[in-house]
């Protein structure tokens, strides 16, 4: 592990949103618990954090936190049953979730926005840089993003966001970044962030996705950030202030991700993500590959 990876030790995973785009599925459970192939989305995200050495994980939970806590806890009776049956593969699959890092929970109370959720992490995180991972965005385990972001944070001393290039017509669904290249570096400096701009007002086609490595100065900024878009305390507004200011902990940088990302935040993207990931899975892939072309050909008729 490099020195830069050691500087960031904690991951914050906000999971307190109302998930209205997924109602009624999210009436009694957080959308982060929706299964993507055979694991809840949040397990992919926790595994991603643990894979880059972030073993101290704080989840920001809402009113339906029980399913989350249960999923990452042990279930001795189920383990005993599987062991007695000799079903070691299933035993290992359920133990995998309870052996992931050291998971802590804090309630958000009122879901007043992503910025508000991140501010709830202040006491646990303290005065050190930390990662924020959203359960909506799954990054393929074969592609690297977070460890590069951690390195850029260590190098710049600021905060780092993850960016992807989208079709210009798609940009109004995202936070959009106005960026400036830095000579000789693979990352960019963020001049400005605009939340969900109209297509003709977007400064670029670079969209912010759900991975951040933040300087703890963000907490002071969030404390004074008032409600923004939708009446919620927006992380983007705090990042905008960090991008525009100067001094210790200021400056925001972007890492452009060109790997495989699966959006699970709305129903259609979620269905596509499930198919994409299942196609690559060892047990489901062959059957799905056999069935899908015929099914699609039937649709094309
Ligand atoms: P979204 O913007 O996707 O909102 O949140 P949402 O409420 O979860 O879903 P919709 O739009 O109503 O369908 C992005 C991330 O921020 C978390 C969510 O859980 C999600 O991981 N979040 C959002 C919070 O933790 N608290 C909030 O107040 C808002």
């Amino acid at each position: 592990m490099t020195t830069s990876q050691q500087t960031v030790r904690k991951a914050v995973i906000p999971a307190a949103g109302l998930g209205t785009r997924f109602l009624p599925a999210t009436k009694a459970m957080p959308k982060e618990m929706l299964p993507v192939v055979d694991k809840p989305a949040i397990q992919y995200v926790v595994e991603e954090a643990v894979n880059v050495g972030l073993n101290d994980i704080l989840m920001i939970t809402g009113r339906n936190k029980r399913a989350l806590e249960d999923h990452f806890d042990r279930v001795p009776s189920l383990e005993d049953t599987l062991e007695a049956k000799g079903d070691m593969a299933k035993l290992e699959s359920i133990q995998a979730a309870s052996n992931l890092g050291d998971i802590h929970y804090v309630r958000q109370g009122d879901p007043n926005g992503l910025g508000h959720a991140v501010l709830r992490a202040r006491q646990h995180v303290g005065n050190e840089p930390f990662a924020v991972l959203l359960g909506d965005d799954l990054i393929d385990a074969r592609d690297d993003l977070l460890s590069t972001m951690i390195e850029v944070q260590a190098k710049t001393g600021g905060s780092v966001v993850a960016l992807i290039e989208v079709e210009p017509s798609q940009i109004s669904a995202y936070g959009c970044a106005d960026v400036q290249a830095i000579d000789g570096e693979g990352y960019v400096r963020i001049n400005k962030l605009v939340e969900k701009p109209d297509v003709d007002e977007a400064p670029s086609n670079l969209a912010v996705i759900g991975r951040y490595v933040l300087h703890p100065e963000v907490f002071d900024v969030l404390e004074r950030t008032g409600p923004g878009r939708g009446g919620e305390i927006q992380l983007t507004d705090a990042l905008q202030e960090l991008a525009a200011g100067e001094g210790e902990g200021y400056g925001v940088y972007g890492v452009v991700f060109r790997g495989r990302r699966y959006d699970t935040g709305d129903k259609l993207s979620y269905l596509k993500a499930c198919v994409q990931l299942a196609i690559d899975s060892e047990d489901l892939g062959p059957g799905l590959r056999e069935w899908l072309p015929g099914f699609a050909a039937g649709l094309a008729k």
Side-chain angles (χ1 to χ4, degrees):
M1 194 185 286
T2 66
T3 318
S4 60
Q5 280 175 332
Q6 283 156 7
T7 57
V8 176
R9 302 181 301 128
K10 295 177 183 171
V12 173
I13 305 183
L18 293 177
T20 51
R21 282 171 293 169
F22 266 104
L23 284 169
T26 47
K27 186 178 171 195
M29 69 166 190
K31 75 169 169 199
E32 288 76 5
M33 281 302 293
L34 285 167
V36 178
V37 187
D38 55 1
K39 289 188 283 195
I42 198 157
Q43 187 174 336
Y44 291 86
V45 173
V46 172
E47 287 169 352
E48 182 189 339
V50 170
N51 281 343
V52 294
L54 309 182
N55 294 307
D56 181 337
I57 289 158
L58 177 71
M59 281 186 198
I60 315 294
T61 60
R63 67 207 155 89
N64 299 321
K65 70 165 185 169
R66 193 150 163 215
L68 282 167
E69 290 194 351
D70 285 349
H71 183 73
F72 292 102
D73 198 1
R74 291 192 50 206
V75 192
S77 57
L78 183 57
E79 289 179 25
D80 291 348
T81 308
L82 292 171
E83 196 159 10
K85 281 188 181 168
D87 194 340
M88 296 325 215
K90 287 215 182 64
L91 179 63
E92 274 170 32
S93 79
I94 64 156
Q95 286 174 334
S98 42
N99 290 336
L100 286 166
D102 187 7
I103 306 185
H104 308 264
Y105 301 87
V106 64
R107 292 288 275 243
Q108 188 182 0
D110 233 1
N112 279 337
L114 179 58
H116 184 254
V118 169
L119 187 53
R120 297 288 295 126
R122 181 169 207 164
Q123 198 178 354
H124 184 87
V125 167
N127 194 28
E128 51 184 272
F130 63 104
V132 175
L133 296 89
L134 304 189
D136 284 13
D137 275 325
L138 304 186
I139 300 297
D140 197 297
R142 296 163 291 187
D143 297 326
D144 165 67
L145 172 60
L146 205 49
S147 62
T148 303
M149 294 176 72
I150 291 170
E151 280 167 23
V152 172
Q153 195 287 323
K155 198 164 176 184
T156 60
S159 290
V160 185
V161 300
L163 303 169
I164 54 163
E165 282 180 34
V166 297
E167 289 297 320
S169 62
Q170 303 287 305
I171 196 70
S172 42
Y174 294 89
C176 174
D178 177 353
V179 306
Q180 183 186 326
I182 303 175
D183 269 354
E185 299 292 359
Y187 56 91
V188 292
R189 187 174 171 112
I190 308 277
N191 296 325
K192 200 173 156 204
L193 290 166
V194 195
E195 188 62 30
K196 302 189 168 78
D198 288 336
V199 181
D200 40 3
E201 279 165 21
S204 73
N205 66 336
L206 291 171
V208 178
I209 59 165
R211 296 293 179 275
Y212 307 84
V213 179
L214 302 176
H215 187 281
E217 185 64 30
V218 74
F219 293 128
D220 277 348
V221 177
L222 281 168
E223 294 274 11
R224 56 175 185 264
T225 301
R229 202 184 167 90
E232 295 187 338
I233 299 181
Q234 299 286 357
L235 181 60
T236 307
D237 291 344
L239 290 173
Q240 171 57 32
E241 188 175 329
L242 287 176
E246 271 176 36
E248 165 78 23
Y250 279 74
V252 179
Y253 301 84
V255 170
V256 181
F257 179 60
R258 301 186 200 279
R260 288 157 284 194
R261 163 196 178 246
Y262 312 98
D263 177 7
T264 63
D266 65 79
K267 291 179 193 175
L268 182 60
S269 310
Y270 167 81
L271 288 172
K272 289 181 189 168
C274 291
V275 173
Q276 284 171 292
L277 281 159
I279 284 275
D280 283 345
S281 94
E282 257 176 47
D283 52 344
L284 299 171
L288 194 56
R289 279 172 195 275
E290 199 186 322
W291 170 78
L292 200 54
F295 179 70
L299 291 179
K301 276 184 196 152

